[in-house]
Amino acid sequence: MGKVDAVELIVRWHMANVAVMGAGSWGTTLAKVFADAGNDVSLWARREELANTINTRHENPDYLPELLLPESIRATTEPAAALEAADIVIFGVPSQTLRGNLEKWAPLLPEDATLVSISKGVEKATLNLMSEVIADAAGVSTGRIAVLSGPNLAKEVAQEQPAATVIACSDAARAEAVQHAAAAPYFRPYTNTDVIGAEIGGACKNVIALACGMAAGKGLGNNTMATIITRGLAEITRLGVKLGADPFTFSGLAGMGDLVATCSSTLSRNRTFGYRLGQGGTLEEATAATNGQVAEGVISSDSIFRLAQRAGVEMPITQAVYGVCHRGVTVDDMIVALMGRTKKAE
């Protein structure tokens, strides 16, 4: 479908059929958001037991314990059942598994559906952004692909604490249609056409959050945190602009907003993971501290560091985190290396 009148799409997609592919904390939360906004929502879960629990008890005890979900959400383990007649498809699986899942789901995707990425990372094997993975693995045009990103800690959104997000799509009409479908009373979506900027901001902030966590684990205070966040935003912006992003995107929700939330909150898995490393823990101990899950930023620090090298962009904080997570550098040595860098103008 080409560009069409935005009002026509909004009217057409009011009460949209939404498929959320992935029943983790953020996927389940967005299923709730779209259901609360008045849409018909199907939620694909990998495990039969979880799907049954969502359908019968209307909760996801694995990821959002003690939270009541809308009874209208229909969970299934059958991708075809979830995707049937979907207007909007949201991919909520980890970034490094997205391609493999999409290769299986591609034949089932409705021909005109808008495909929305909520995975924040860079594919290790190809250094592709998630929108590029979707376009390649699903064989769809980039105009059908949107990215949802912002300061969206799943637990807070699920608790209906007011929050905002960005829907980025090169087709502005599609972005506005998804915006309309996601507009729950407690969730305010904004639109943007800068897909690259939204994705770079979302992927890189996890790495900077690891650095903030490490600093907090060392007992360092607010001056250090503000420095890491500010200089982290500078290097994220450098990479994004080199790859074609609009620099103004990084001062908005998908840039600074997402970065501040992830770097500051104890709900952030990346910050928690980094905090444990800063306390002297090993990668294995940090994984245990985050419920057995490796933080996305650990994986992303490798792929983003290599992407920056390929683009010829200097990202010292990312490089330092990569050194700790993949090269055996200690957190103390990381701090010394960052503070000892050549002095220059801001």
Side-chain angles (χ1 to χ4, degrees):
M1 181 182 67
K3 293 183 183 294
V4 297
D5 183 77
V7 175
E8 177 189 339
L9 260 179
I10 289 170
V11 171
R12 197 175 118 202
W13 278 4
H14 184 59
M15 293 291 292
N17 291 320
V18 179
V20 181
M21 306 300 288
S25 56
W26 190 217
T28 303
T29 296
L30 281 178
K32 179 184 186 304
V33 168
F34 278 92
D36 287 343
N39 305 285
D40 293 324
V41 178
S42 296
L43 177 61
W44 174 80
R46 185 171 49 84
R47 293 181 291 110
E48 187 76 44
E49 178 185 2
L50 179 57
N52 289 338
T53 300
I54 293 171
N55 286 331
T56 57
R57 290 165 40 194
H58 310 296
E59 62 180 10
N60 185 335
D62 294 347
Y63 294 99
L64 295 170
E66 301 179 6
L67 180 85
L68 190 63
L69 298 172
E71 294 185 9
S72 60
I73 295 175
R74 301 179 304 278
T76 178
T77 58
E78 297 295 330
L83 292 167
E84 185 178 7
D87 301 306
I88 300 170
V89 181
I90 298 166
F91 298 118
V93 296
S95 59
Q96 304 307 321
T97 69
L98 180 59
R99 182 180 295 274
N101 281 302
L102 263 173
E103 288 171 349
K104 293 181 288 187
W105 297 337
L108 306 173
L109 296 172
E111 184 177 346
D112 195 37
T114 297
L115 310 180
V116 182
S117 170
I118 62 172
S119 303
K120 296 182 177 181
V122 174
E123 190 175 43
K124 286 182 66 175
T126 63
L127 302 185
N128 283 347
L129 302 177
M130 294 300 101
S131 64
E132 296 170 323
V133 173
I134 294 171
D136 184 31
V140 300
S141 65
T142 56
R144 285 180 56 191
I145 301 168
V147 171
L148 187 152
S149 187
N152 301 146
L153 297 162
K155 184 177 180 180
E156 292 183 2
V157 175
Q159 291 173 339
E160 301 186 11
Q161 297 184 29
T165 198
V166 170
I167 311 293
C169 182
S170 61
D171 185 334
R174 284 190 182 269
E176 290 177 27
V178 178
Q179 174 191 42
H180 187 77
Y186 51 89
F187 197 67
R188 181 174 175 82
Y190 290 80
T191 62
N192 195 329
T193 56
D194 182 14
V195 174
I196 293 174
E199 288 194 281
I200 289 295
C204 294
K205 57 95 181 186
N206 288 326
V207 180
I208 307 304
L210 279 171
C212 282
M214 292 177 199
K218 295 296 296 183
L220 302 176
N222 293 327
N223 289 335
T224 305
M225 297 305 155
T227 299
I228 294 172
I229 291 171
T230 306
R231 296 310 303 164
L233 182 65
E235 66 181 60
I236 292 170
T237 303
R238 282 198 299 271
L239 179 62
V241 170
K242 186 64 178 287
L243 296 177
D246 182 343
F248 288 106
T249 297
F250 300 102
S251 63
L253 290 165
M256 176 59 84
D258 199 7
L259 182 65
V260 169
T262 308
C263 289
S264 305
S265 175
T266 55
L267 296 175
S268 163
R269 184 185 303 155
N270 289 282
R271 188 186 186 281
T272 300
F273 198 100
Y275 185 87
R276 188 69 189 89
L277 294 176
Q279 288 184 315
T282 64
L283 286 172
E284 292 73 20
E285 289 168 339
T287 301
T290 51
N291 299 318
Q293 296 176 303
V294 175
E296 180 70 62
V298 174
I299 301 167
S300 294
S301 65
D302 176 29
S303 50
I304 293 170
F305 173 61
R306 290 189 288 120
L307 181 62
Q309 283 188 312
R310 189 176 73 180
V313 174
E314 188 180 28
M315 299 186 73
I317 299 174
T318 298
Q319 183 174 353
V321 171
Y322 165 77
V324 172
C325 293
H326 299 281
R327 288 292 179 263
V329 176
T330 67
V331 174
D332 286 336
D333 287 344
M334 178 192 89
I335 294 171
V336 170
L338 285 172
M339 293 304 293
R341 295 181 66 245
T342 302
K343 311 301 185 290
K344 61 181 182 180
E346 186 180 35

